[in-house]
Amino acid sequence: RCLLKMVKGNIVVPEEILSFCCNGLQGSTSPPRAREPEEREEVPGAMANPSPARNPTEVQMSQLVLPCHTNHRGELSTGQLLKWIDTAACLSAERHAGCPCVTASMDDMYFEHTISVGQVVNIKAKVNRAFNSSMEVGIQVSYEDLCSGKHCSICKAYATFVAQGPPGSKVKLKPLTPQTEEEKIEHSIAAERRRMRLVHKDTLKDLLTRSPRETELETRDDSAAVPAEKTRVESVELVLPPHANHQSNTFGGQIMAWMENVATIAASRLCHAHPTLRAIEMFHFRGPSQVGDRLVLKAIVNNAFKNSMEVGVCAEAYGQEMSVSRRHINSAFMTFVVLDEDGQPRSLPMVAPEPGEGERRYREASARKKIRLDRKYVVSCKQTEVPLSVPWDQSNKVYLSYNNVSALKTLVAKANWALAREKEKVRMYTLEEDKFLSFRIEMSVRIAASRAFSLLSDLRRRHEWDRHYVSAELVQQVDDDDVIYHVVSQTLSHENKPQDFVILASRRKPCSKGDPYVVAFRSVTLPTHPASAGFTRGETVCSGFCIWPESEETSKVAYYNQATPGYLNYVTTNVAGLSSNFCATFEACEKFLLKNKEDLIVRLQDL
């Protein structure tokens, strides 16, 4: 019956299924004919496993929290949790690589809840994307209360692992093909996260250079401040075989656990209480350590804010001979809070940094806090929780660019797009969600993808094919990939005034074969361009182009637009006119691309 309803609803049903359905309805009350043996062999195990195939790199780990895993409060030690996370992620990476892997870096980790004795920690890890010799592993951590059946998320993390081949050889990883919608989204955005990691240090340096006033020492009562030197901790650990993998390299999770231990001691010396670890900032392992190494771990409180403190930790390694210089293994920055009886953060005493290096660490801690808040605000939260127009400045430019591109890539990877209209070569699709209605218009154009990418990413030329654009002024060239424009549209608002926009345009070339060229647009706020009385300030939440090369001279060009809630009333009352308008505009876009392609050919011939 369901199949017949699908047929009546013009849903395409495979001929074999339709035939099976009709034959079953035409039969009499006699029992159905038994299948022949060869028929059973055609689909072995089809009924036994109807669910989609599991990701081959996925690793699941469940650990019961015992008293030996906990601290004095009966809560799971964060160091122990880090060891489990690193182990699960490493196993996932090695499943894909087929060879030993080592931890290269870990992105920001925010711990939302604590875990008690008797509860179960569930960790799921799988490879999101493989690059040349490194890969990103996504990790989800939750806990389960066996008595109540309650499940709760603890944290979500991204780790980078590097494959290790025989000495003197380099491992080239095979590409990963995502299957589900979630996997396709993570695979697409992994390239953006990788780009953000590479510029992380530059972001801090840029903030310290451009905004020295924001990180100056605060005026304080010296009698109430705790000297930072009093919080200093140094400890040594001997790396034994249980601390290392089968290649005799120390587990990254073990190093993180030792670092968390000395950081907790340093934080306790400031507040004279038992602190709780809330976050670990993105960090990189600079080199390996092996069995037999001595690891020297140093920690000190860099800065204390109203309700939190940052502790800097450093790990160095040396062998049996003290004369050999120490090797820098890793540095990390951990954020602690002290909770009162109601579970709320307590106020903390101030820190008096030492002159010179101490003051440098103090200022850098203030800058990292701002960057950390920007990153968590823009990157970590869901798209529906981010305001349409976010203030842009130097400290969050990297994360706004990331959010801009990742929002578009997420929209591209969505399933359930429905074909709304097809006119000659132009196809228009719609996607209905809870708060958004999205559009996708695509067509094939006889132009090289790189050339189309160059033409469509310059908003100053959009008025040549889009009649809704009056002008686009270049406000700021942020870098080679990001530009801010002030756009004036001739579309009248309900106030009968033209609209204007401040738009961040982010460009990305393909990271690997099969990736599209991406041009993403989103609204931002600039102090130099406030809303004016002559215009109605408009906002765009997510829009842009994706361009896939089909051949050397042909490209598939797709435009995406996610309509904001205020736009939906107009859409629902003018669907037919809107689709016609979109198709006409896209046809004009094709003519623009072809014309400029021919102009380029003529100029090259003249040269």
Side-chain angles (χ1 to χ4, degrees), residues 220-511:
R220 57 170 53 80
D221 180 6
D222 291 339
S223 61
V226 177
E229 185 62 25
K230 287 189 175 182
T231 68
R232 187 181 295 276
V233 180
E234 181 171 328
S235 180
V236 64
E237 297 284 353
L238 175 63
V239 180
L240 300 174
H243 303 142
N245 60 17
H246 40 287
Q247 295 290 307
S248 297
N249 290 323
T250 315
F251 280 119
Q254 180 62 69
I255 297 175
M256 290 188 284
W258 284 333
M259 295 173 74
E260 186 268 342
N261 178 60
V262 294
T264 301
I265 296 173
S268 300
R269 288 180 175 176
L270 174 72
C271 59
H272 299 292
H274 297 290
T276 299
L277 180 62
R278 274 290 182 250
I280 302 177
E281 189 169 308
M282 180 189 306
F283 62 85
H284 302 263
F285 284 94
R286 303 190 181 188
S289 70
Q290 290 81 29
V291 171
D293 278 344
R294 282 73 170 165
L295 280 185
V296 178
L297 305 134
K298 302 177 181 179
I300 190 172
V301 176
N302 291 332
N303 201 338
F305 309 101
K306 182 178 179 181
N307 300 115
S308 66
M309 70 186 95
E310 181 194 276
V311 180
V313 197
C314 172
E316 298 175 336
Y318 66 93
Q320 293 182 356
E321 298 180 3
M322 286 295 294
S323 58
V324 180
S325 60
R326 295 178 179 180
R327 309 187 311 273
H328 188 184
I329 302 299
N330 186 16
S331 291
F333 302 98
M334 304 183 182
T335 302
F336 288 85
V337 297
V338 178
L339 303 178
D340 59 20
E341 295 179 354
D342 298 324
Q344 298 301 315
R346 276 174 32 187
S347 297
L348 298 175
M350 293 181 292
V351 170
E354 299 175 285
E357 283 297 302
E359 292 178 349
R360 177 189 61 79
R361 290 194 299 266
Y362 183 95
R363 291 188 175 92
E364 289 181 354
S366 298
R368 274 189 294 269
K369 181 186 178 184
K370 176 172 175 49
I371 293 173
R372 188 164 53 245
L373 293 176
D374 287 338
R375 187 163 59 235
K376 184 178 180 181
Y377 177 66
V378 177
V379 175
S380 302
C381 59
K382 298 178 181 178
Q383 184 184 354
T384 54
E385 299 172 354
V386 178
L388 297 184
S389 188
V390 178
W392 183 94
D393 60 39
Q394 287 291 335
S395 66
N396 69 1
K397 64 179 183 180
V398 174
Y399 313 117
L400 277 178
S401 177
Y402 165 88
N403 178 269
N404 191 16
V405 176
S406 62
L408 179 59
K409 287 186 173 182
T410 300
L411 184 61
V412 171
K414 293 277 189 181
N416 303 323
W417 286 95
L419 181 63
R421 178 170 179 171
E422 185 171 7
K423 181 182 178 182
E424 297 179 353
K425 297 187 297 181
V426 181
R427 295 172 299 279
M428 176 178 170
Y429 300 82
T430 59
L431 175 65
E432 295 185 37
E433 296 175 297
D434 292 339
K435 296 183 179 181
F436 299 101
L437 177 62
S438 303
F439 303 91
R440 182 180 96 210
I441 308 100
E442 64 181 32
M443 65 179 173
S444 293
V445 185
R446 294 187 59 81
I447 186 174
S450 57
R451 179 59 180 160
F453 172 67
S454 176
L455 290 168
L456 295 177
S457 60
D458 189 353
L459 283 183
R460 292 171 297 183
R461 302 197 63 178
R462 186 155 173 171
H463 70 278
E464 298 180 31
W465 58 271
D466 190 344
R467 63 183 181 84
H468 299 94
Y469 272 58
V470 175
S471 65
E473 171 198 1
L474 193 155
V475 175
Q476 185 168 349
Q477 182 78 44
V478 180
D479 51 38
D480 293 339
D481 296 323
D482 297 279
V483 184
I484 299 178
Y485 295 95
H486 179 231
V487 175
V488 176
S489 170
Q490 68 175 5
T491 304
L492 297 180
S493 65
H494 63 279
E495 300 173 348
N496 202 31
K497 294 189 295 186
Q499 289 186 306
D500 71 336
F501 303 81
V502 178
I503 292 178
L504 171 66
S506 302
R507 306 162 14 121
R508 297 290 188 273
K509 293 181 179 179
C511 180

